[in-house]
Amino acid sequence: MAPSSSKTANAPSASNFIRQIVEHDLAGGKHKSVRTRFPPEPNGYLHFGHAKSICLNFGLARDYGGVCHLRFDDTNPAKEEQEYVDSIIDAVRWLGFDWGEHRYFASDYFDRLYGFARNLVERGLAYVDSLTAEEIRAHRGTLTEHGRNSPYRDRSSQESLDLLEKMRKGEFPDGSHVLRAKINMQSGNINLRDPVMYRIRHAEHHRTGGAWRIYPSYDWAHGVSDAIERITHSLCTLEFEDHRPLYDWFNERLAEAGLLERPLPQQIEFARLNLTYVMLSKRRLIQLVDEGHVEGWDDPRMPTLVGARRRGYTPEGFRRFAERIGVAKADSWIEFSILEDCMREHLNEIAPRRIAVLDPLKLVIDNYPEGREELCETPNHPQKPDWGRRQASFSRELWIEREDYADVPPKGYFRLYPGNRVRLRYAYVIECIGYDKDTDTVHCKLFEDSRSGTPGADTYKVKGNIHWLSAKHAHAAEVRLYDRLFATPQPEGLGDLNPGSKKIVSVRLEPSLREAKAEERFQFERHGYFVADRADASVFNRTVTL
Ligand code: ATP
Ligand code: MG
């Protein structure tokens, strides 16, 4: 029975069409265990779309007791750099996955690929074409028009072998010859019209240096690398659907010659992640960095994993997100708010509560003696009593949020305005006496018997409850308030950037935050989740609002 993507997905163990295929193959004995791979091209930093693919591939291996390989698809010498390899390794580890000993490079297989290509030439299944790139394009035909055979298509295997060897050694300039598979120029599938297997490139490769003067195409290298590694299920995004017959053609031809072992890997396509308010394409991300719209690959607004990390997003949040959105067979857009919800849910569980005043306004309690101080207890997490409580110093001069005071209260406003009472969280009830414009200060009086936790304190019925910091004890710090990078849900270009995506504010923080370590995460009460910046722990980045 062929696995299908129809809705038989109620079985908890096979909750999506890929799991159904995997379980079918394991149950039927096609494979004894699962072997997947994540195959990034080291030409950029990983983005949120890659996180989906990583969680999918490593998640399948984990759930079915198999392994997932990390394979660098480093077939393109010009664009690839060690910096990207290192950052990809970091990012996959950060997401919580482990490839064990299975870290590979497509360039590890250059020798074998070359041997395989020679075998295809010997069997009349590949040939060296000496048309120019432009002529090849003209011969390829279109979606509605068949292709035409190259005049070099029937040159002898021996001649092709000789030319291929000279190409490899660097005896010809770039573009003078290519190696092509001999499949079918009349095929309705353009990918099967004698696709290119090797191009001449006089370029240094980050791992093989100058050893090669020809480099394999993606279609040639990718599937064969999968088969060499005995990958069982090769998951890729939908745009490769039309490449699948070619993927199978290469592997079948090599398996029938005994060069690859069966069972061969099965390519399965799934919908790529499209996320609103960001752009997930390396080309766009490079443009954002190069043109200075952001401060680098790890700018907290970037939809890269290094950016997410600085932003304070968590690996658990990404894994939760990947679970929640699942995998589908058709492209769609996922709301950015779903990702934010996943982060919030996880941060709510792990982030201790702290007090920060983001837009400070001075408040003086006129009937509280100068020099007097006392300690108020505040919980580190309201739902987790075992996380304990900490002491907050209370004194005559406080910082409150500017928006917690109004000269003239708008309708439904329960915070401070002349004559109104509020509770200072975990401390006293105060009543506003007035606001002094010259010193930009709110004046209040306090009710001694209203202190939280003391008998009778709850006889004070107030509707507002605001946070505060003792001015003498709080310290000033920089906080960066990040918002969505693009202003439109489905951005079309950099013209759609959100000009207000980053605001730097000078704030007051409770004393304990002086000791925050890089990447430590907190909830600033009433404001959202924040993280101590990786590069400078005295600065806090807003991860997400509450
Ligand atoms: P981009 O489209 O941003 O240039 P890419 O596909 O070129 O990305 P690769 O390094 O080739 O990037 O991708 C590595 C793996 O990640 C591939 O298996 C690819 O299918 C997968 N991948 C890339 N983008 C997405 C996405 N938006 N959603 C899901 N998977 C993705
Ligand atoms: Mg790609």
Side-chain angles (χ1 to χ4, degrees):
M1 192 182 65
S4 76
S5 56
S6 66
K7 289 220 172 1
T8 48
N10 290 339
S13 58
S15 53
N16 66 52
F17 75 98
I18 296 177
R19 285 172 181 268
Q20 287 177 29
I21 295 172
V22 167
E23 289 186 11
H24 176 267
D25 290 348
L26 291 173
K30 180 178 175 191
H31 302 294
K32 286 199 191 65
S33 65
V34 175
R35 194 175 286 269
T36 54
R37 86 290 172 261
F38 173 64
E41 192 181 343
N43 63 350
Y45 285 77
L46 297 184
H47 55 60
F48 295 0
H50 295 117
K52 172 177 176 174
S53 176
I54 292 166
C55 292
L56 179 60
N57 281 293
F58 281 93
L60 279 176
R62 177 198 59 210
D63 295 347
Y64 294 97
V67 292
C68 180
H69 297 186
L70 175 61
R71 184 197 318 136
F72 291 97
D73 175 20
D74 60 347
T75 49
N76 189 349
K79 290 200 231 150
E80 289 149 6
E81 286 174 35
Q82 190 61 38
E83 178 195 347
Y84 297 130
V85 170
D86 295 340
S87 81
I88 289 169
I89 286 177
D90 257 13
V92 180
R93 279 220 185 98
W94 180 71
L95 278 179
F97 297 108
D98 183 13
W99 48 89
E101 61 197 331
H102 300 290
R103 191 186 79 186
Y104 304 108
F105 289 85
S107 55
D108 294 340
Y109 311 132
F110 280 178
D111 280 319
R112 290 176 77 182
L113 283 167
Y114 186 71
F116 291 169
R118 287 182 56 93
N119 175 275
L120 295 182
V121 175
E122 282 161 10
R123 292 157 65 205
L125 295 170
Y127 61 99
V128 170
D129 195 353
S130 308
L131 293 179
T132 63
E134 207 169 299
E135 289 165 330
I136 290 180
R137 215 171 302 124
H139 277 71
R140 189 174 292 130
T142 63
L143 283 174
T144 52
E145 218 178 288
H146 285 163
R148 282 174 294 130
N149 287 357
S150 161
Y152 300 100
R153 197 173 197 263
D154 293 319
R155 80 183 355 152
S156 72
S157 293
Q158 195 49 54
E159 191 187 354
S160 278
L161 282 177
D162 290 346
L163 286 168
L164 180 60
E165 184 60 16
K166 288 183 176 140
M167 286 162 63
R168 184 180 73 79
K169 286 190 185 148
E171 293 183 16
F172 302 120
D174 286 11
S176 51
H177 307 276
V178 291
L179 184 74
R180 301 177 73 176
K182 193 187 284 189
I183 307 181
N184 179 6
M185 292 304 293
Q186 269 71 52
S187 173
N189 183 339
I190 292 184
N191 295 299
L192 294 178
R193 293 183 191 167
D194 293 8
V196 170
M197 296 168 63
Y198 281 104
R199 283 186 189 82
I200 300 174
R201 295 287 297 276
H202 288 263
E204 294 294 298
H205 185 278
H206 76 125
R207 298 189 82 236
T208 59
W212 292 86
R213 288 297 175 238
I214 55 173
Y215 289 94
S217 62
Y218 173 87
D219 282 320
W220 167 234
H222 192 80
V224 179
S225 302
D226 282 345
I228 289 173
E229 292 177 16
R230 307 305 314 276
I231 298 302
T232 56
H233 302 86
S234 174
L235 313 179
C236 62
T237 42
L238 286 178
E239 67 269 26
F240 291 100
E241 194 166 8
D242 291 343
H243 296 240
R244 187 176 353 115
L246 179 56
Y247 182 101
D248 291 337
W249 189 90
F250 282 131
N251 283 342
E252 284 292 341
R253 297 294 81 75
L254 296 171
E256 69 197 18
L259 296 171
L260 292 176
E261 283 179 70
R262 294 181 194 276
L264 294 168
Q266 179 186 358
Q267 175 180 305
I268 303 169
E269 307 86 20
F270 65 95
R272 68 188 300 111
L273 172 66
N274 295 311
L275 197 58
T276 57
Y277 297 102
V278 291
M279 283 184 146
L280 296 181
S281 110
K282 269 181 213 156
R283 196 171 57 80
R284 290 301 197 178
L285 299 180
I286 288 170
Q287 198 187 352
L288 284 167
V289 173
D290 285 353
E291 294 179 9
H293 301 287
V294 292
E295 275 141 48
W297 286 98
D298 68 346
D299 186 301
R301 292 166 293 179
M302 286 283 274
T304 53
L305 294 179
V306 278
R309 189 165 171 183
R310 267 191 94 177
R311 177 77 174 255
Y313 286 4
T314 66
E316 292 82 353
F318 276 108
R319 298 203 297 264
R320 203 176 284 219
F321 175 66
E323 282 298 318
R324 193 159 299 171
I325 61 174
V327 282
K329 262 288 188 194
D331 276 321
S332 66
W333 283 81
I334 301 290
E335 294 291 336
F336 197 83
S337 58
I338 297 178
L339 177 64
E340 291 178 321
D341 282 343
C342 292
M343 297 301 164
R344 259 186 215 111
E345 286 170 22
H346 182 236
L347 289 167
N348 179 39
E349 291 160 22
I350 62 154
R353 278 34 175 177
R354 293 290 182 265
I355 307 293
V357 175
L358 298 190
D359 188 7
L361 171 64
K362 186 65 80 62
L363 179 146
V364 174
I365 301 168
D366 292 344
N367 64 342
Y368 196 87
E370 263 177 78
R372 180 174 158 193
E373 280 178 34
E374 60 192 293
L375 294 170
C376 301
E377 291 225 311
T378 63
N380 287 323
H381 193 297
Q383 286 95 44
K384 295 180 197 271
D386 55 310
W387 285 23
R389 301 169 76 82
R390 65 195 190 288
Q391 310 280 345
S393 297
F394 186 86
S395 62
R396 177 183 160 91
E397 294 198 8
L398 308 177
W399 292 112
I400 62 163
E401 295 292 344
R402 188 164 291 276
E403 61 167 32
D404 286 342
Y405 171 78
D407 284 323
V408 182
K411 203 163 172 283
Y413 187 88
F414 300 121
R415 291 169 274 170
L416 285 173
Y417 53 88
N420 195 41
R421 294 179 183 184
V422 301
R423 177 169 293 283
L424 295 170
R425 247 179 186 192
Y426 316 118
Y428 293 95
V429 170
I430 54 171
E431 181 175 309
C432 181
I433 299 166
Y435 167 73
D436 178 357
K437 219 157 121 200
D438 295 336
T439 58
D440 190 25
T441 302
V442 177
H443 288 270
C444 293
K445 67 177 185 205
L446 163 155
F447 301 95
E448 278 288 348
D449 56 348
S450 68
R451 192 177 143 153
S452 287
T454 57
D458 53 4
T459 57
Y460 287 86
K461 299 284 179 227
V462 292
K463 287 189 174 159
N465 188 326
I466 68 173
H467 65 276
W468 51 272
L469 286 170
S470 162
K472 184 175 160 197
H473 299 88
H475 63 284
E478 178 180 317
V479 159
R480 299 175 190 144
L481 301 176
Y482 292 107
D483 198 351
R484 289 172 177 170
L485 183 54
F486 286 90
T488 51
Q490 298 183 10
E492 284 174 7
L494 302 195
D496 295 332
L497 280 166
N498 172 11
S501 61
K502 174 179 181 179
K503 284 194 191 81
I504 297 182
V505 290
S506 175
V507 309
R508 294 296 190 286
L509 302 178
E510 69 167 68
S512 73
L513 288 168
R514 276 187 202 278
E515 274 113 65
K517 290 190 262 319
E519 296 201 78
E520 226 181 320
R521 300 173 170 92
F522 302 97
Q523 185 196 93
F524 290 173
E525 292 193 20
R526 296 175 66 208
H527 290 303
Y529 295 96
F530 290 74
V531 65
D533 193 80
R534 262 181 105 182
D536 174 0
S538 72
V539 170
F540 290 84
N541 298 325
R542 182 169 70 195
T543 307
V544 63
T545 53
L546 286 179

